[in-house]
């Protein structure tokens, strides 16, 4: 909705679980970004810095949008080795959209969880948020 009002933007983000810096830039509605080969030094303050240049931009809305992505210091609910259910499809799909999975690692590639699906193919997925709508205790564990 505000893409036409953004002339230029760029920044660097410190993502939890990643040593690499996430660098992004954009012009108008064209965006590119990714983890750079640059890593945070041990004595370097990990922080997020960004610049937006445009017209009719609401300063507080921009700050609120970035801050909504901030990871809190609340501990994750699951640890490596735990069995969980992962959202892998819409509610109308087989299994209600849930599949049994095992937590392989935490804070992997900037995601709270990397999960190994416990199906025949044993694929792996990331859970991008530590929320019940994405990953939850197995239904059998609640009984």
């Amino acid at each position: 909705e505000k893409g036409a009002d953004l002339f230029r933007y760029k920044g660097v983000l410190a993502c939890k679980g990643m040593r690499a810096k996430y660098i992004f830039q954009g012009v108008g509605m064209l965006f590119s970004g990714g983890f750079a080969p640059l890593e945070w030094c041990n004595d370097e303050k990990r922080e997020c810095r960004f610049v937006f240049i445009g017209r009719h931009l609401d300063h507080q809305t921009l700050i609120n949008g970035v801050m909504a992505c901030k990871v809190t210091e609340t501990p994750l609910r699951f640890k490596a080795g735990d069995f969980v259910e992962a959202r892998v499809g819409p509610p109308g799909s087989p299994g209600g959209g849930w599949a049994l999975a095992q937590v392989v690692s935490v804070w992997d590639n900037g995601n709270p969880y990397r999960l190994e699906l416990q199906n025949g193919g044993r694929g792996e997925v990331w859970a991008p948020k530590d929320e019940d709508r994405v990953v939850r205790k197995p239904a059998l564990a609640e009984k």
Side-chain angles (χ1 to χ4, degrees):
E1 153 184 342
K2 287 287 188 181
D5 290 336
L6 282 171
F7 301 148
R8 181 91 172 93
Y9 45 97
K10 60 183 176 178
V12 60
L13 303 175
C15 297
K16 188 156 185 156
M18 296 295 295
R19 290 198 45 84
K21 297 178 179 184
Y22 186 92
I23 298 175
F24 70 92
Q25 64 177 343
V27 176
M29 293 188 286
L30 300 174
F31 169 87
S32 70
F35 289 103
L38 305 168
E39 291 191 350
W40 296 96
C41 296
N42 291 335
D43 61 345
E44 184 178 12
K45 181 180 178 185
R46 290 174 59 101
E47 62 184 352
C48 299
R49 298 177 82 59
F50 52 90
V51 175
F52 294 96
I53 301 169
R55 67 173 172 230
H56 310 299
L57 301 178
D58 184 329
H59 182 257
Q60 195 58 51
T61 298
L62 289 170
I63 289 175
N64 291 347
V66 171
M67 293 304 288
C69 300
K70 184 178 179 180
V71 173
T72 67
E73 293 304 316
T74 304
L76 295 176
R77 296 174 298 152
F78 307 109
K79 63 185 183 316
D82 286 352
F83 284 91
V84 297
E85 287 182 333
R87 171 67 72 186
V88 294
S93 59
W98 295 96
L100 185 64
Q102 186 173 23
V103 177
V104 175
S105 62
V106 297
W107 290 118
D108 186 274
N109 206 31
N111 294 281
Y113 302 107
R114 182 164 53 104
L115 308 171
E116 179 182 58
L117 299 175
Q118 302 297 299
N119 57 12
R122 294 260 174 157
E124 288 189 355
V125 297
W126 280 301
K129 292 187 174 255
D130 185 21
E131 298 176 353
D132 275 342
R133 65 187 180 92
V134 176
V135 60
R136 66 183 187 189
K137 286 183 184 178
L140 296 176
E142 297 174 359
K143 293 181 181 178

